[in-house]
Amino acid sequence: MAWTDYSTAPAPGTRVCDLETLGAVAALTVETDKGAFPLLVARDGAQVRAYVNACPHQYLPLNYRGDQLLSADGQMLLCSAHGARFDLGSGEAIDGADCGLDPVPVTVVDGTLVIAG
């Protein structure tokens, strides 16, 4: 499923958060007039990646049972519900799911993370 297939997908240009407030991984909710959109943001220095916060195994948020979303080596995103693992850089499934996370394009504009077009 593409991120734009979600009924609550925010429009390009929608503000997500100030970049300075992000740690290594954050589970966020982007609120628009369409409703709440679950977003998972991973930051590695200046590099920021975002995915729909929905594990493709059961479509539960990766942080459903806890906020430990990053593996000890910092290379994988973890699903707290059933232990699926995903490549941090690509969202591809490593173990526990048949497909990867749905990427969401983001960019930084004047220190603010926004949905890209």
Side-chain angles (χ1 to χ4, degrees), residues 18-40:
D18 292 332
L19 187 62
E20 68 184 29
T21 65
L22 290 175
V25 176
L28 306 171
T29 301
V30 179
E31 296 280 349
T32 69
D33 58 345
K34 294 180 182 180
F37 183 77
L39 190 67
L40 186 66

Side-chain angles (χ1 to χ4, degrees), residues 3 37-42 49-54 77 87-92 101-104:
W3 74 277
F37 183 77
L39 190 67
L40 186 66
V41 179
R49 295 172 184 87
Y51 305 98
V52 176
N53 187 10
L77 294 168
D87 182 78
L88 179 67
S90 68
E92 291 181 20
L101 301 172
D102 298 319
V104 177

Side-chain angles (χ1 to χ4, degrees), residues 72-92:
D73 66 3
Q75 299 302 306
M76 292 177 283
L77 294 168
L78 308 171
C79 176
S80 65
H82 71 283
R85 297 179 297 155
F86 304 91
D87 182 78
L88 179 67
S90 68
E92 291 181 20

